[in-house]
Amino acid sequence: LGPTETNMSTPAESPMTDTPRPIVGVFDSGFGGLTVLRALLSTITGAHFVYIGDTARLPYGAKSRATVARYAVESARLLESRGAQLLVIACNTATALALDDIRSAVRVTVVGVIAPGALATAEAIATSYPGLTNPDVLVLATAATVQSHAYHAACAALDMSATEMACPLLVPLVEEGWTDHPVTRDVIRIYLREAFAECTPRGVLLGCTHYPLIHAAIESEVRGLYSHAVVVDSAQATADAVARTVATMPLIHQLTSSPSTFECFATDSVEKFQRLGSHFLDRSISTVHLLDLGG
Ligand code: DGL
């Protein structure tokens, strides 16, 4: 099947199964949330994931709280109306700025990426530095996420001190495919040097869905600064949190052990979504549906 144009009210491509599967909605501003979908697909069986990437309105990371909340609520409502029994906000910026708005706008359970990422960082630091109290965590994220201080609050709730660093150049570099490029390494080094002048972190938390693709580059630059800080991204941590949430829901009884399926919707070029998205998902995406959310 090639790219198709549709809207959410018409039936989209269905999973090839005999029995209907529970639907889990996954939402991101674009491609980055596919790193979370990748972890979800390898962690949860028997579900059908419906992914919306709001690529027409990307990036969210430079937008205001009101705008991000309006966009995110729109997609969340759409996913709920399409039968999602659980929503995963696979976008740090949308989670940071709009989680409460989304939770008030829908009836289904909503899981964001920030609390799981902070928890995974606390666990990783506790493993690497047993007995250490109130460790410093360096959070790398978009400007909007940093301004919200959502990570500061999530880390404080786990007795960690957060230094938040906006890294606005990293999203475009990753989208350019420059994940292992000297320019990207230089940019990472400049951000890290600036941050390390302010703190001595025991953990570096990748607070943006694009950063798992440059995890290795960030880790190597952290080591270049003679730091043993653990570098943590929230994709797997979020999938684990979703699995724990699902285990408490009636939904768990409908999940079979067969591999989960997925379908993708994008609000801009489906070709670009297929091309770039396959790097984030680490597998090819045969079909992407174009979704008109009204610009
Ligand atoms: N998905 C966003 C995040 O995780 C990054 C891309 C954007 O700015 O929209 O913060």
Side-chain angles (χ1 to χ4, degrees):
L1 285 176
T4 54
E5 187 162 344
T6 186
N7 63 47
M8 289 295 249
S9 57
T10 58
E13 181 191 8
S14 304
M16 306 285 282
T17 55
D18 300 336
T19 47
R21 289 156 172 260
I23 295 172
V24 176
V26 184
F27 165 70
D28 179 45
S29 57
F31 317 96
L34 291 169
T35 56
V36 178
L37 179 61
R38 174 165 132 196
L40 287 165
L41 286 167
S42 63
T43 305
I44 294 170
T45 61
H48 181 60
F49 292 99
V50 178
Y51 182 98
I52 295 182
D54 192 7
T55 43
R57 305 191 287 199
L58 178 91
Y60 281 14
K63 293 191 169 65
S64 70
R65 200 204 72 80
T67 301
V68 170
R70 180 159 56 83
Y71 290 170
V73 162
E74 227 171 52
S75 288
R77 285 204 173 119
L78 208 56
L79 286 164
E80 184 184 40
S81 73
R82 206 180 146 68
Q85 291 168 257
L86 173 69
L87 290 185
V88 183
I89 308 305
C91 174
N92 288 265
T93 306
T95 303
L97 277 66
L99 191 61
D100 291 342
D101 297 76
I102 296 167
R103 284 191 168 139
S104 321
V106 297
R107 288 179 308 277
V108 296
T109 304
V110 182
V111 178
V113 284
I114 290 183
L119 182 62
T121 307
E123 288 170 354
I125 293 175
T127 304
S128 294
Y129 302 94
L132 184 70
T133 55
N134 199 237
D136 273 339
V137 175
L138 171 61
V139 181
L140 308 178
T142 65
T145 299
V146 166
Q147 276 155 24
S148 76
H149 297 304
Y151 270 108
H152 194 276
C155 287
L158 296 167
D159 292 323
M160 301 188 293
S161 304
T163 299
E164 298 158 295
M165 179 82 195
C167 307
L169 294 175
L170 294 183
V171 165
L173 286 168
V174 170
E175 293 202 350
E176 197 56 39
W178 288 17
T179 50
D180 188 21
H181 191 284
V183 169
T184 308
R185 286 180 178 272
D186 284 348
V187 170
I188 293 169
R189 196 173 315 122
I190 291 165
Y191 284 136
L192 287 177
R193 278 199 187 135
E194 201 178 311
F196 274 64
E198 281 176 41
C199 64
T200 309
R202 304 309 178 128
V204 176
L205 172 44
L206 309 188
C208 172
T209 46
H210 283 56
Y211 302 171
L213 272 79
I214 46 172
H215 190 128
I218 292 173
E219 188 149 8
S220 125
E221 295 303 329
V222 167
R223 299 291 168 259
L225 292 168
Y226 305 105
S227 166
H228 297 291
V230 284
V231 180
V232 181
D233 73 60
S234 52
Q236 187 56 49
T238 302
D240 293 340
V242 172
R244 284 195 298 275
T245 304
V246 163
T248 66
M249 297 171 68
L251 169 63
I252 188 79
H253 302 297
Q254 301 161 39
L255 294 173
T256 63
S257 58
S258 60
S260 287
T261 53
F262 69 96
E263 63 190 324
C264 293
F265 293 81
T267 56
D268 192 18
S269 166
V270 290
E271 290 81 10
K272 187 173 177 193
F273 190 96
Q274 278 178 309
R275 186 164 36 82
L276 275 180
S278 59
H279 297 296
F280 288 84
L281 193 59
D282 203 23
R283 60 198 272 180
S284 63
I285 304 171
S286 60
T287 306
V288 180
H289 307 281
L290 186 62
L291 178 67
D292 184 1
L293 287 176

